[in-house]
């Protein structure tokens, strides 16, 4: 293998990611936008020294605070980024470590309101204007602080929520949008959350490195009968960077399955640039 994956060995190889890497497809020339709650200390953690030194971070924006810095915010996005971008040989290597990134903060963890879906739409629009190929979104919505704004399962039909409609618009522009299915498998809600319900996105559930389904992983189908999630990746005991020294720890959530799959999809699309986003989704499903 070109890379010695260390702790991430299982989550890369469950999809034969090493096969793509060994053939030279590691994300070079591809652009991926991540929408999340913040990317705590990505500018200093050694996990990301390669993407910093090679100028693979093309831009950032905080749509919550309306500023450029996303380094001081929540760590969730940093951990998601690590599953793709980490390059610590023999310790932790991501699924597409040569990819170029835009890092967008759209989520305000202090509250839950539809404005965050609007932030997502704005980030997707900016990504499209910059020529981004793929987005990775480890966020989802159904239950807001103001209950009158909350969605019902019937609304998870791919065409109702702000973020689902925005995701389908982004797909029409040619972007491949990869979305976490949600962690509601054992809750009263049970089902996937939006925008994973959008018609033209790749919704990702969580498994462990042996392919066992994580109990927390949200279930389909969508309210309009789509088979969701369409694929699964490692989100149960997934290797992610810790907030202190960037070394890998194990985390749980479709939040980590989503970027794991996004990295695989990035390398695959790099290998077959002639196909479009819907073809790539179909191939990954198959």
């Amino acid at each position: 293998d070109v890379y010695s994956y260390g702790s991430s060995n299982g989550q890369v190889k469950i999809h034969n990611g090493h096969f793509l890497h060994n053939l030279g497809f590691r994300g070079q020339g591809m652009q991926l936008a991540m929408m999340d709650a913040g990317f705590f200390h990505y500018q200093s953690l050694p996990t990301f020294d390669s993407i910093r030194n090679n100028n693979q971070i093309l831009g950032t924006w905080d749509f919550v605070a309306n500023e450029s810095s996303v380094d001081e915010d929540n760590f969730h996005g940093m951990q998601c980024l690590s599953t793709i971008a980490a390059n610590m040989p023999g310790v932790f290597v991501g699924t597409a470590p040569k990819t170029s990134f835009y890092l967008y903060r759209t989520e305000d963890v202090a509250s839950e309101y539809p404005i965050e879906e609007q932030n997502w739409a704005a980030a997707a629009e900016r990504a499209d204007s910059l020529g981004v190929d793929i987005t990775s979104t480890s966020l989802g919505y159904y239950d807001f602080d103001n209950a009158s704004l909350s969605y019902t399962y019937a609304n998870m039909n791919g065409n109702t929520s702000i973020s689902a409609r925005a995701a389908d618009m982004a797909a029409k522009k040619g972007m491949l949008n990869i979305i976490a299915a949600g962690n509601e498998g054992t809750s009263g809600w049970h089902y996937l959350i939006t925008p994973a319900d959008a018609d033209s996105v790749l919704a990702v559930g969580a498994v462990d490195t042996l392919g066992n389904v994580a109990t927390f992983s949200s279930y389909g189908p969508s309210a309009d009968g789509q088979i969701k999630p369409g694929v699964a990746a490692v989100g149960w005991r997934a290797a992610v960077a810790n907030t202190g020294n960037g070394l890998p720890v194990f985390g749980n959530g479709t939040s980590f399955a989503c970027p794991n799959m996004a990295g695989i999809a990035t390398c695959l699309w790099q290998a077959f640039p002639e196909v479009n986003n819907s073809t790539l989704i179909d191939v990954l499903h198959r």
Side-chain angles (χ1 to χ4, degrees):
D1 289 343
V2 172
Y3 293 116
S4 175
Y5 297 98
S7 294
S8 56
N9 188 69
Q11 66 199 41
V12 174
K13 291 188 174 180
I14 193 173
H15 302 298
N16 291 316
H18 58 301
F19 176 77
L20 288 164
H21 295 166
N22 293 340
L23 288 174
F25 302 112
R26 303 160 198 164
Q28 306 96 308
M30 302 295 288
Q31 296 185 11
L32 187 152
M34 302 198 74
M35 285 71 142
D36 217 291
F39 302 87
F40 182 77
H41 287 183
Y42 77 95
Q43 291 182 321
S44 54
L45 290 171
T47 326
F48 308 106
D49 54 4
S50 291
I51 63 170
R52 290 194 302 267
N53 294 340
N54 296 323
N55 298 313
Q56 290 167 241
I57 302 167
L58 302 181
T60 62
W61 192 256
D62 184 335
F63 289 85
V64 179
N66 199 32
E67 62 184 19
S68 61
S69 178
V70 296
D71 184 71
E72 69 283 353
D73 299 300
N74 190 272
F75 63 86
H76 185 265
M78 177 277 289
Q79 292 191 323
C80 293
L81 175 64
S82 73
T83 71
I84 308 175
N87 192 357
M88 306 174 84
V91 178
F92 182 21
V93 178
T95 49
K98 296 292 187 181
T99 304
S100 295
F101 297 94
Y102 288 96
L103 307 179
Y104 294 144
R105 180 184 178 222
T106 63
E107 178 78 5
D108 183 356
V109 297
S111 61
E112 192 79 340
Y113 283 99
I115 183 66
E116 293 160 283
E117 293 189 87
Q118 295 167 357
N119 291 342
W120 191 95
E125 187 172 29
R126 178 174 291 211
D128 172 57
S129 74
L130 293 165
V132 164
D133 305 296
I134 294 175
T135 67
S136 178
T137 301
S138 294
L139 303 169
Y141 304 96
Y142 75 98
D143 188 20
F144 294 111
D145 290 350
N146 181 340
S148 69
L149 302 173
S150 295
Y151 295 120
T152 65
Y153 172 64
N155 297 142
M156 300 293 112
N157 59 13
N159 299 303
T160 297
S161 78
I162 297 166
S163 54
R165 286 182 283 140
D168 282 341
M169 289 177 69
K172 288 177 182 176
K173 298 291 187 179
M175 287 192 289
L176 173 61
N177 302 294
I178 301 178
I179 315 285
N183 302 326
E184 306 302 324
T186 58
S187 78
W189 174 270
H190 187 69
Y191 291 107
L192 80 168
I193 55 180
T194 198
D197 65 312
D199 302 338
S200 303
V201 307
L202 183 66
V204 186
V207 294
D208 66 12
T209 57
L210 299 176
N212 299 305
V213 178
T215 55
F216 57 77
S217 189
S218 283
Y219 286 78
S222 64
D224 61 329
Q226 299 175 72
I227 297 174
K228 297 272 190 176
V231 295
V234 175
W236 185 7
R237 287 188 57 78
V240 298
N242 76 53
T243 57
N245 57 16
L247 291 172
V249 293
F250 292 104
N252 298 323
T254 58
S255 283
F256 305 136
C258 174
N260 271 322
M261 178 56 66
I264 295 291
T266 298
C267 296
L268 184 61
W269 209 357
Q270 180 193 357
F272 295 94
E274 68 277 11
V275 307
N276 64 18
N277 54 350
S278 61
T279 300
L280 202 66
I281 289 175
D282 182 58
V283 165
L284 289 166
H285 281 168
R286 291 170 186 272

